[in-house]
Amino acid sequence: MQWYLVAALLTVLTSSQGILTTLSQSEGRYLYDYATVPFLAEFFKLVVSGLLLWREHRTSPSVRMTTDWRTVRLYPIPSVIYLIHNNVQFATLTYVDTSTYQIMGNLKIVTTGILFRLFLRRKLSNLQWMAIVLLAVGTTTSQVKGCGEASCDSLFSAPIQGYLLGILSACLSALAGVYTEFLMKKNNDSFYWQNVQLYTFGVIFNMAWLLLDDFRSGFENGAWWQHLLNGYGITTWMVVLNLGSTGLLVSWLMKYADNIVKVYSTSMAMLLTMVLSIYLFSFKPTLQLFLGIIICMMSLHMYFAPPNMLVDLPTTIKAPHPPEGLKEVSIEQRTDS
Amino acid sequence: MQWYLVAALLTVLTSSQGILTTLSQSEGRYLYDYATVPFLAEFFKLVVSGLLLWREHRTSPSVRMTTDWRTVRLYPIPSVIYLIHNNVQFATLTYVDTSTYQIMGNLKIVTTGILFRLFLRRKLSNLQWMAIVLLAVGTTTSQVKGCGEASCDSLFSAPIQGYLLGILSACLSALAGVYTEFLMKKNNDSFYWQNVQLYTFGVIFNMAWLLLDDFRSGFENGAWWQHLLNGYGITTWMVVLNLGSTGLLVSWLMKYADNIVKVYSTSMAMLLTMVLSIYLFSFKPTLQLFLGIIICMMSLHMYFAPPNMLVDLPTTIKAPHPPEGLKEVSIEQRTDS
């Protein structure tokens, strides 16, 4: 499968995620416990990956599966990073409001680029760096509060701790992505086996999280498994299936493409959600959304288009022939003498 | 003189123009007739160019000055285009409000690129086209109305005539620039002689415009020359000198650089004015201004940086040697046979 088809599918599914989540609410609130959704999605991913691993193992018994502890112990780390990230996120929101938090979230595009360069040692051209910054600028532009909306004085007036935690949050989010890519590309293990390890720890950490919630609330609603599917409707199940599927696609991109492709997919999804919301939830289209879309499209083209499509390279266009000619001539000369 | 120094000076002076004009007001209104400013600026440019032409003629009597009618008759055309543009501008403003008009004004960046390509047949790379579009997007972003400001419903709700006239206005503005560049580069005439012709017609058209104003108002304040300097203060004179100087710099850029350089200078000036207004007039800094500045800086770099600074060009780096080697080998071969 081509990576750009997977990326396009991820864009569509990530975009549907926001819309399905909104549709799953009744009168602006959730009838179900939203914390159960990520748990069930992890469980779904584990079951799918397990089945696919079983099928793979049946058709070709030589499937590569590293099972020694030194490799397996690396798989809970993404879950640990996400856990820390969740807590930093909560801490950030005590200092800044949600719209400032949303704006700062775009920083993770840039931090992903930086960690991608530092940890995975992937070289990017100047133009690609500019494209990454422009992608972050484009998504931020689309989120600029328009006139008529509530006051946005808060943006430049949060305490410094809020901004520092926002930056930390962006770094952790990028780190989780970059680390997962490192893990998936580390060896030639079966993709499904890697997923099974990743999601097993995902399920465990999510269960622990749900249990912690129960302890916090003093088990006033009983244990989490007793009210797991309370209030679930068809849309809620679609939210779960959708979240699980996007997770599997992200995992595929981490192994066969990279973090930057993922970042582009999810950023485009955010814009697509905003455009679809105009039709579905009669959101008012804004000038800044339109500008943001243009900026992100330019960024996409700058990052992925081959350089000779972007700039005129007189030497490169003529280059392929002379060197070949040179070789031929050299050979002829050698046979002459 | 290097073109980028002239461009930087133009940016600073164009930016001061907005600030000086604001400072020349008393309690939000002009104490003088603003229509007299362009006339005096044209007159200033004519005097400066005339003196410089006289000095040039004294030092080297062989100064190139085409005086036949077929060339001279081309010089009133920019004035005619500006006259039509002014009228279209008035017509546009009867359909759209000033902030929509200001937003649409950014279109002239793109129309200048298009006419530059079509009429002056200058080739631009894909990346340069993207840079031009991004410049327009960046200046527009900086102008997006923030929260707390008046309602901006008007932006998408003006009658279609308003938008069409706005596009026409952007085309006329671009046409005037591209035509002037064509005129200045048409032959090797003395730069000062070209200016003298341009500004002579400029002075005539401005005088005619002032007289027309008098006729419209039924000479209730007498003829324009009777109240020409009424209410002029030191700041008003600085506005005149500044406008005249920016005109001369633009003329220099048209002859020795091009329209795109001018468009970048004036766009950067707009952003500089907004930044300076934060300090001078305690304007509130907005997120969109910050984003607009980043976008325009990226665009500047994309347009003017040499391609090998932007993308990795393995073939170009190695290319210079093989072709030379090829020639040498070919010659050797010929002498062998």
Side-chain angles (χ1 to χ4, degrees), chain A residues 103 125-127 130 133-134 137 140-141 144-147 149-150 152-153 155-156 284-285 287-288 291 294-295 298 301-302 307 309-313 315-316 326 329 332-333, chain B residues 103 125-127 130 133-134 137 140-141 144-147 149-150 152-153 155-156 284-285 287-288 291 294-295 298 301-302 307 309-313 315-316 326 329 332-333:
Chain A
I103 293 280
S125 71
N126 277 340
L127 196 64
M130 287 166 69
V133 173
L134 274 180
V137 168
T140 311
T141 300
V144 165
K145 289 263 172 163
C147 24
E149 284 184 81
C152 58
D153 288 341
L155 192 58
F156 293 119
K284 254 212 293 211
L287 177 61
Q288 46 269 45
L291 295 171
I294 299 179
I295 299 166
M298 295 274 170
H301 193 61
M302 278 165 71
M309 234 179 99
L310 294 172
V311 291
D312 297 325
L313 305 172
T315 42
T316 322
L326 178 68
V329 172
E332 276 175 39
Q333 206 185 10
Chain B
I103 293 279
S125 71
N126 276 340
L127 196 64
M130 285 166 70
V133 173
L134 274 180
V137 168
T140 310
T141 299
V144 166
K145 290 265 175 166
C147 25
E149 284 183 82
C152 57
D153 288 343
L155 191 59
F156 293 119
K284 256 212 294 210
L287 176 62
Q288 45 271 43
L291 295 171
I294 299 180
I295 300 167
M298 295 274 170
H301 192 62
M302 277 164 72
M309 235 179 98
L310 294 173
V311 292
D312 298 324
L313 305 172
T315 41
T316 324
L326 179 67
V329 172
E332 275 173 39
Q333 206 186 12

Side-chain angles (χ1 to χ4, degrees), chain B residues 8-24 34 235-236 238-243 245-246 249 265-266 268-274 276-277 280-281:
Chain B
L9 189 59
L10 177 60
T11 301
V12 173
L13 290 186
T14 307
S15 174
S16 337
Q17 188 64 20
I19 289 162
L20 284 172
T21 307
T22 309
L23 289 175
S24 77
Y34 191 78
T235 337
T236 324
M238 282 171 73
V239 171
V240 170
L241 290 187
N242 197 75
L243 188 62
S245 310
T246 53
L249 291 179
S265 286
T266 49
M268 292 302 164
M270 200 208 75
L271 296 174
L272 183 59
T273 307
M274 290 171 91
L276 291 176
S277 298
L280 293 173
F281 310 120

Side-chain angles (χ1 to χ4, degrees), chain B residues 4 17 31 37 45 87 99-100 111 127 154 156 159 177 179 189 215 246 250 260 262 278 286 290-291 306:
Chain B
Y4 48 83
Q17 188 64 20
L31 292 178
V37 169
K45 291 189 278 187
N87 284 293
S99 73
T100 306
T111 51
L127 196 64
S154 53
F156 293 119
Y179 181 83
D189 267 17
F215 271 105
T246 53
V250 168
I260 307 293
K262 184 211 144 191
I278 294 170
T286 61
F290 176 71
L291 295 171

Side-chain angles (χ1 to χ4, degrees), chain B residues 213-251:
Chain B
D213 266 356
D214 286 344
F215 271 105
R216 275 185 193 142
S217 68
F219 288 90
E220 61 178 12
N221 303 313
W224 62 269
W225 56 86
Q226 292 172 313
H227 56 85
L228 182 62
L229 303 180
N230 279 5
Y232 264 58
I234 178 85
T235 337
T236 324
W237 280 111
M238 282 171 73
V239 171
V240 170
L241 290 187
N242 197 75
L243 188 62
S245 310
T246 53
L248 289 169
L249 291 179
V250 168
S251 191

Side-chain angles (χ1 to χ4, degrees), chain B residues 16-63:
Chain B
S16 337
Q17 188 64 20
I19 289 162
L20 284 172
T21 307
T22 309
L23 289 175
S24 77
Q25 296 174 331
S26 289
E27 288 147 25
R29 61 186 205 89
Y30 297 110
L31 292 178
Y32 56 94
D33 180 5
Y34 191 78
T36 58
V37 169
F39 164 72
L40 288 173
E42 285 297 302
F43 191 74
F44 167 77
K45 291 189 278 187
L46 178 58
V47 170
V48 170
S49 301
L51 286 173
L52 288 169
L53 178 62
W54 174 71
R55 200 189 65 169
E56 190 183 41
H57 194 72
R58 218 182 37 176
T59 50
S60 63
S62 62
V63 173

